[in-house]
Amino acid sequence: MDMHSFINFFLLPGIVQGSIYALGAIGITLVFAIMRYGHFAHGDLATFGAFIALAFTTVLGLSPYAALPLAVLATGVFAVALDRLFYAHLRAMPKIITTIASFGVALMLRSFVQVVWGVNTTSYTRGITRPENWFGIRVKSHEIVTLLVAIALVVALHLFLTRNKWGKAMRAMSDNPELALFSGVDNGKVIALTWIIAGGLCAASGFFLGLNTELKSLMGWNILLPTFAAAILGGVGRIEGAIVGGLIVGIAEELSVLVIPGEYKVMSAFGILLLVLLFRPTGLFRGKVL
Amino acid sequence: MKTKHLGLASLLLGASALATPALADVNIGLLNGITGGAAAMAPEITKSLQFAVDQINEQGGVLQGEKLVGIMADDGCSPQVAADAATKLVNVSQVIGVVGPLCSGALMAAVNSATIPAGVILISQAATSPEITTLKDNDLVFRTIPSDEYQGQALARTLLDRGTKKVAVSFINNDYGKGIAEAFKKEYEAKGGEIAGYEAHEENKSSYRADLAGLAQGGADTLVLLDYGDTSGLTVLREAIENGFFEKFVGAEGMKTSAPVKAIGADNLTTFMASAPVSTKSEALDIFNKAFAEAGGDINASYVGPSYDAVFLLALAIEKAGGDKSKLSESLRAVSNGEGEPILPGEWKKAKELITAGKAIDYKGASGELNFDANGDVPGSYALFKVAGDDWAVETEMK
């Protein structure tokens, strides 16, 4: 196999897939950093975001790319509402209760999508897009957009967390909620902010998954496990860990086909996860222990 | 206060007296793939199932005039969901028999975890895996759809006849995909074809380019894609066309859905064909088609005939067995073994009278003669379809 087909068919799909996982994993990691529980409705929230974008394209007649920011915003606000409705009153209880509640929310979200948009597979645009050829590297325009937007979102998030007052408050609360509270950080506002960011990134990951493949009600649920694997692999609670973890999981899945049969693709990501947990239980970037 | 309680008590008493029906209903389970990989087929199948139940009830119901009630449950086309749904039907709804599920993997889980242990008969109208033939089922699992053993072989012969001597095979990693792929491979190689790449892929991944690149290395220009058109089959097909891995594509009935045509567009699918079971021309089929069309159904939809037949046969077996659950398998074979007064679709009243009179009957279904073999299977006939406009049209018959 030559270099070009290695990049075209193995590396590039892995990177695209990895950045989709990374966007989801950042959300999972943020929720864990601030609120200390695993949020299992994350996959279905991504499905919801993807279908909200579909609604903007069909109802308002927008192009998918124009629908993306609207869907990100809408899903962010929706995530805050979910938190107020289902998670807020569980805050003082053991975290496992909220984790289990998030499973229930996942089922509700999925059923909601199925009731509103139906159970059939659909897509943002009809037809196919053949990849463009850049000196032998074949890449589709929406793959480039996926990568660019993912990078932009990550950079924006990094700047927000390091430069902005509220971003610093989020980090403070992640380090020590009580201390942050005594220093005058409004925990309620930080939690709402976390949900806006996590929900928005979630919608972006769902949107790009739908753009690169198809939209279906189980799409988010199907990427939940690799997304979680990515978050844990990088170190839970560490943004940079989630990004690296996402890329590793995505690329490992695609490259594994070179050595093991395709039906065991999923296994490769978990194999890596297992090794990391064995030899470095806190994840690559020394995150919080689950 | 006391009078209030008394009043309430008498009200409850009255309500419960009203609620007790004169005759109990006969419950049958309908496992249907409303969500998941077969979702696109489910709406018309649902119509067909309900149509059969309604027709039977209009013509006098079952046994002593009891109503036949179809309790629908979603099998999600997945083993886990199907096992839960079947367990609920068997234990909570107390069904006497089950029609469905649509997917082979779902069927395996449903029968092994729920229906066979409970001694409940199950007739599937769409699960086609050859694995089901060899299932240890205590004669409780039947099908009104032929096994893919036949379809895989017919597809292999048809491709060779059309001059395709070299193919790559990509199939979904479940009972359906594995079953039909193995049948295809065996026959194709035995008849002199070359398999240049043969690999399973996991469902629900978002990219299959790495898998496809591996398959394309064999140098075949035709990809035989044995998958569902609503899930990974669509993704694989799209990526194969976009990246030019293969020129021609051949699927089986799982791919013959509206989803690829809608998502990829007919103009991009000129080299895509799919095989599917077809009902042989018969008086029974004409009668069913006319009645089903009048009831608002789409007669060209997949599995509507076998679905109707499955419900009708189950009802005939219940009637014949006098509602005795343990005699259902025996009765099912008795009402459709090629001997006795022919019964056509819709002739419930006639069948009921003959059974009451103790005469032998033989159901001739919309999907064929339906004479079950020792494994509960039926033989079938197939055609190769191509995309025409926004729908599918027969390209050639398959032998």
Side-chain angles (χ1 to χ4, degrees):
Chain A
M1 184 175 42
D2 59 60
M3 199 60 204
H4 280 153
S5 52
F6 175 75
I7 295 174
N8 289 338
F9 306 135
F10 295 88
L11 196 58
L12 210 64
I15 295 173
V16 172
Q17 190 61 35
S19 29
I20 292 169
Y21 289 155
L23 286 176
I26 295 172
I28 286 175
T29 240
L30 266 184
V31 171
F32 190 88
I34 308 286
M35 283 159 276
R36 302 285 196 278
Y37 58 79
H39 185 235
F40 283 96
H42 224 73
D44 291 285
L45 192 59
T47 312
F48 178 82
F51 276 91
I52 285 290
L54 180 71
F56 283 124
T57 61
T58 48
V59 177
L60 300 181
L62 297 173
S63 84
Y65 294 131
L68 172 63
L70 293 175
V72 166
L73 201 67
T75 313
V77 173
F78 184 76
V80 176
L82 278 183
D83 176 61
R84 290 280 146 86
L85 264 172
F86 299 106
Y87 306 138
H89 60 280
L90 301 172
R91 208 100 71 202
M93 297 204 196
K95 297 301 176 196
I96 185 70
I97 295 180
T98 319
T99 300
I100 292 168
S102 73
F103 264 112
V105 170
L107 292 176
M108 281 194 268
L109 278 175
R110 193 183 318 159
S111 306
F112 179 76
V113 167
Q114 287 174 340
V115 168
V116 176
W117 287 282
V119 294
N120 289 345
T121 304
T122 157
S123 48
Y124 290 118
T125 46
R126 204 186 147 126
I128 57 172
T129 32
R130 287 183 202 278
E132 286 156 58
N133 202 329
W134 305 74
F135 310 107
I137 307 293
R138 291 147 57 101
V139 55
K140 284 189 273 184
S141 58
H142 56 238
E143 288 173 334
I144 300 177
V145 175
T146 306
L147 292 176
L148 291 181
V149 173
I151 293 168
L153 284 173
V154 168
V155 169
L157 180 65
H158 178 77
L159 289 178
F160 174 78
L161 288 177
T162 49
R163 306 283 163 83
N164 185 286
K165 186 180 83 175
W166 284 107
K168 287 178 186 165
M170 275 177 72
R171 280 162 59 212
M173 197 170 150
S174 160
D175 284 340
N176 189 328
E178 280 81 24
L179 200 59
L181 189 63
F182 291 137
S183 319
V185 173
D186 184 341
N187 284 13
K189 274 191 191 150
V190 169
I191 286 173
L193 198 58
T194 309
W195 278 114
I196 289 189
I197 297 172
L201 291 174
C202 209
S205 80
F207 172 83
F208 286 120
L209 184 63
L211 191 66
N212 285 290
T213 57
E214 291 85 29
L215 289 143
K216 50 198 167 202
S217 55
L218 282 169
M219 58 192 277
W221 179 250
N222 291 331
I223 62 158
L224 184 67
L225 278 179
T227 310
F228 254 93
I232 297 168
L233 182 61
V236 187
R238 302 293 300 251
I239 310 272
E240 61 273 41
I243 298 161
V244 173
L247 287 173
I248 292 179
V249 170
I251 294 170
E253 279 191 357
E254 296 305 312
L255 294 193
S256 68
V257 182
L258 289 170
V259 280
I260 57 171
E263 66 254 48
Y264 298 115
K265 214 179 191 176
V266 199
M267 209 179 70
S268 56
F270 292 103
I272 294 178
L273 178 62
L274 207 64
L275 288 178
V276 169
L277 286 180
L278 268 177
F279 295 108
R280 206 182 159 93
T282 48
L284 295 174
F285 284 79
R286 294 219 175 280
K288 298 176 175 62
V289 183
L290 264 174
Chain B
M1 203 60 199
K2 213 171 177 184
T3 44
K4 213 174 178 182
H5 277 182
L6 260 177
L8 199 69
S10 55
L11 201 73
L12 277 173
L13 200 72
S16 64
L18 276 176
T20 314
L23 290 163
D25 293 334
V26 173
N27 292 340
I28 59 167
L30 306 173
L31 279 173
N32 199 351
I34 301 164
T35 61
M41 303 171 182
E44 288 301 322
I45 289 176
T46 307
K47 268 190 217 164
S48 174
L49 294 167
Q50 200 53 50
F51 173 60
V53 171
D54 290 346
Q55 218 178 33
I56 289 164
N57 285 331
E58 275 162 25
Q59 297 186 28
V62 287
L63 306 173
Q64 266 85 54
E66 280 111 314
K67 248 179 81 183
L68 186 70
V69 178
I71 300 172
M72 184 95 57
D74 182 19
D75 68 42
C77 195
S78 94
Q80 297 88 344
V81 184
D84 289 350
T87 308
K88 184 169 172 250
L89 285 176
V90 168
N91 295 328
V92 180
S93 312
Q94 300 272 328
V95 296
I96 188 169
V98 174
V99 170
L102 304 189
C103 301
S104 300
L107 182 139
M108 285 297 194
V111 297
N112 284 324
S113 67
T115 61
I116 295 177
V120 171
I121 191 171
L122 179 139
I123 311 176
S124 174
Q125 71 275 49
T128 49
S129 172
E131 309 252 327
I132 297 167
T133 305
T134 51
L135 199 68
K136 285 195 177 39
D137 61 356
N138 305 332
D139 207 23
L140 287 168
V141 178
F142 293 82
R143 288 191 275 187
T144 53
I145 194 82
S147 160
D148 279 335
E149 190 70 32
Y150 307 113
Q151 182 172 199
Q153 292 172 3
L155 186 59
R157 287 190 294 266
T158 309
L159 284 186
L160 287 169
D161 285 348
R162 292 167 69 88
T164 310
K165 303 286 182 208
K166 189 176 177 184
V167 297
V169 183
S170 183
F171 56 97
I172 185 167
N173 187 24
N174 66 14
D175 289 316
Y176 164 69
K178 261 184 287 186
I180 188 166
E182 273 163 26
F184 173 84
K185 183 172 183 239
K186 219 163 87 191
E187 181 77 1
Y188 196 72
E189 284 178 335
K191 293 268 154 57
E194 188 194 337
I195 305 263
Y198 180 81
E199 200 167 310
H201 54 256
E202 202 54 42
E203 195 180 357
N204 295 323
K205 298 305 293 175
S206 33
S207 166
Y208 295 96
R209 268 172 287 179
D211 309 62
L212 282 164
L215 286 169
Q217 276 173 12
D221 68 346
T222 304
L223 178 71
V224 176
L225 178 55
L226 304 166
D227 198 335
Y228 302 117
D230 287 76
T231 63
S232 45
L234 177 56
T235 316
V236 174
L237 185 63
R238 176 202 294 274
E239 291 190 329
I241 296 175
E242 283 175 351
N243 293 289
F245 287 120
F246 295 94
E247 281 162 33
K248 292 180 219 152
F249 304 89
V250 181
E253 85 279 26
M255 293 298 296
K256 195 193 148 255
T257 70
S258 57
V261 187
K262 263 194 215 142
I264 300 178
D267 35 337
N268 295 313
L269 292 173
T270 47
T271 56
F272 176 43
M273 279 188 278
S275 69
V278 283
S279 306
T280 34
K281 285 248 163 293
S282 68
E283 197 193 344
L285 179 64
D286 292 340
I287 291 172
F288 168 76
N289 281 349
K290 189 162 171 284
F292 189 52
E294 276 169 13
D298 174 8
I299 56 167
N300 291 318
S302 299
Y303 303 114
V304 289
S307 297
Y308 176 90
D309 290 340
V311 174
F312 207 88
L313 275 169
L314 182 57
L316 283 175
I318 293 170
E319 190 71 32
K320 177 90 178 168
D324 184 348
K325 201 168 104 177
S326 61
K327 285 192 194 147
L328 280 179
S329 308
E330 192 190 313
S331 308
L332 180 61
R333 289 181 182 281
V335 294
S336 188
N337 59 1
E339 289 160 24
E341 181 77 18
I343 297 294
L344 298 174
E347 297 187 329
W348 176 256
K349 208 166 162 211
K350 179 180 163 194
K352 202 173 151 75
E353 283 163 8
L354 286 168
I355 290 173
T356 315
K359 295 212 176 84
I361 58 164
D362 176 36
Y363 179 64
K364 298 205 176 302
S367 53
E369 297 275 318
L370 298 171
N371 300 336
F372 297 105
D373 69 10
N375 297 314
D377 283 347
V378 291
S381 45
Y382 300 91
L384 198 60
F385 290 80
K386 62 173 185 224
V387 179
D390 277 349
D391 209 344
W392 293 86
V394 175
E395 164 82 9
T396 174
E397 302 278 308
M398 287 170 38
K399 287 187 186 77

